[in-house]
Amino acid sequence: MTPDAYLQFAGRVLTYSLQLSAGVVACMAVTRLCLAAHRRFRLWLGFMMAAVIYGAVMIAQELQKVRHGQTTDPMAPPPHPWFVLPAHFWLVPQQWRSMLVSWLPVVGVTYLVIAASMLLAVIWRQVRLRLLVRHSRRPGPELAALFAGIRARAGADGCELVVVPELGSPATAFWWKPRILLPEICEEMAGGDSLTTVLWHELVHVRRRDYLWALAVDVACCILFFHPAVWKARRQMRIERELACDEAVIAAYPDGRADYAESLTRFARLLMIDEGLNMGIDFAAPINFLSTRVHAILADRQSAPKWQQAVRGMGSVALLAIFCVLAPGLAVFLRFGAAGLPGAGGAP
């Protein structure tokens, strides 16, 4: 690659990072207007998938240009008729030419090593989870009968229930042949309503294919680990998916709010006593936003009037439209400053 090609590629990466930052800000604004947790979850999931696809297209375009020896004028505007905002032009000092040629390949190799290491960690968690499930056992007759009835009502016939002695909190594993993993303490709760709501929560995860989406987002974070926006989106997705399942539980069992909230705090206490009980299962419900979940469960919120829902919906669409129009203008173009020009990075 020529130094101009390095600058062109660096400019595209900076532009991509800037657009990701604007995208996460837009999503945060839209979530303020959206009342339903499942819609907020879809918004963040869409942001993550769009970030990966857009990044892949950008890399493919740049590699295609390098393969054919094509470079564009770094000062030329982007070839989009819908370009709205003026781009940011940065002059890189001529003295940086040799440094860029030497260090940018090192940065690229470092990125590949870190991304590969993170992908291997994701694969290892999957292997560890499968090994853990192999040491599980079938539930007792009372718990099995309770689960069979709830599973039939939930319409998740392909899901199975297993008991994992080392586990500290219920979790959902796999998506092709889903499993609900329960700790041994749940067998003592088989006669109460609290376990019914817990099982319904996990079955909602199965119906929503949350495990598959969580795995896809983990892979996306391995690829885009360098940008804080993807980690913010991942955290928000984890919050919204749990709140969405909680909303489904309350809709199915409106009189079981207190028992359900109590069961959540009970499992949280177990995890706080011994964090090792979670066995590295990333999809087990996190406890760091337990108060948010309990407050949402116990709060008897009335549905918003239709006019308010319409206003919020139009506001969300307007914000997304504004982002789609302005995002292409968030661009960074780099070129070497002319040597000998004051203020351009060259010699005075």
Side-chain angles (χ1 to χ4, degrees):
M1 291 178 63
T2 65
D4 287 337
Y6 281 126
L7 283 186
Q8 182 177 325
F9 186 79
R12 289 294 298 270
V13 173
L14 289 174
T15 297
Y16 176 72
S17 299
L18 187 61
Q19 291 173 343
L20 277 189
S21 300
V24 78
V25 171
C27 288
M28 292 173 63
V30 172
T31 54
R32 294 286 184 178
L33 299 175
C34 188
L35 297 176
H38 67 276
R39 292 193 179 95
R40 297 194 297 266
F41 173 85
R42 292 172 185 171
L43 176 67
W44 288 109
L45 177 61
F47 168 79
M48 290 292 292
M49 296 300 102
V52 173
I53 294 173
Y54 178 52
V57 171
M58 181 197 72
I59 295 296
Q61 290 177 345
E62 292 301 319
L63 292 178
Q64 190 73 9
K65 291 179 181 179
V66 172
R67 181 181 302 175
H68 293 84
Q70 298 175 354
T71 58
T72 59
D73 182 2
M75 289 295 288
H80 299 301
W82 34 292
F83 183 72
V84 178
L85 296 180
H88 300 279
F89 297 94
W90 288 358
L91 295 180
V92 179
Q94 284 279 357
Q95 292 88 340
W96 292 10
R97 180 186 293 266
S98 59
M99 182 186 68
L100 286 173
V101 174
S102 302
W103 283 99
L104 283 181
V106 175
V107 172
V109 172
T110 303
Y111 164 81
L112 292 176
V113 170
I114 295 176
S117 301
M118 296 180 69
L119 284 172
L120 288 176
V122 172
I123 295 173
W124 168 243
R125 285 200 299 268
Q126 298 300 309
V127 172
R128 186 181 183 186
L129 178 58
R130 292 188 178 275
L131 293 175
L132 179 66
V133 172
R134 286 185 180 181
H135 293 85
S136 62
R137 60 177 176 81
R138 295 186 178 277
E142 186 177 3
L143 181 55
L146 175 64
F147 176 73
I150 300 174
R151 181 180 59 186
R153 291 173 50 202
D157 296 333
C159 182
E160 296 184 7
L161 179 70
V162 295
V163 176
V164 181
E166 298 88 354
L167 199 63
S169 175
T172 303
F174 316 130
W175 65 276
W176 185 254
K177 294 181 179 180
R179 302 285 189 276
I180 293 180
L181 316 180
L182 293 182
E184 287 183 320
I185 192 174
C186 288
E187 292 185 307
E188 304 174 6
M189 305 165 57
D193 294 335
S194 58
L195 186 58
T196 300
T197 54
V198 169
L199 290 175
W200 190 271
H201 176 101
E202 300 302 329
L203 286 169
V204 173
H205 277 309
V206 173
R207 288 189 312 185
R208 288 164 41 92
R209 293 181 174 85
D210 280 339
Y211 186 86
L212 174 63
W213 302 129
L215 183 59
V217 169
D218 285 345
V219 174
C221 288
C222 295
I223 299 173
L224 303 175
F225 67 88
F226 58 89
H227 204 295
V230 298
W231 298 105
K232 171 66 177 180
R234 179 179 182 271
R235 181 178 183 277
Q236 290 301 127
M237 280 187 60
R238 298 187 73 190
I239 294 175
E240 301 301 346
R241 84 179 178 209
E242 297 302 327
L243 293 177
C245 292
D246 291 341
E247 289 177 355
V249 171
I250 298 306
Y253 300 94
D255 296 331
R257 294 175 182 268
D259 290 337
Y260 182 44
E262 193 277 332
S263 65
L264 292 182
T265 56
R266 185 175 185 179
F267 290 122
R269 285 196 299 269
L270 288 176
L271 289 177
M272 292 176 66
I273 292 173
D274 190 349
E275 295 182 358
L277 290 175
N278 208 29
M279 296 297 292
I281 299 179
D282 187 53
F283 198 65
I287 63 174
N288 53 354
F289 61 96
L290 176 65
S291 60
T292 301
R293 293 182 62 190
V294 172
H295 181 269
I297 291 169
L298 297 179
D300 188 9
R301 296 181 179 178
Q302 301 295 328
S303 59
K306 291 185 177 180
W307 68 267
Q308 187 176 1
Q309 296 181 21
V311 170
R312 288 176 176 268
M314 290 187 294
S316 300
V317 173
L319 285 173
L320 292 177
I322 292 173
F323 168 74
C324 292
V325 171
L326 298 183
L330 302 174
V332 177
F333 299 95
L334 304 176
R335 75 169 183 179
F336 289 109
L341 290 180

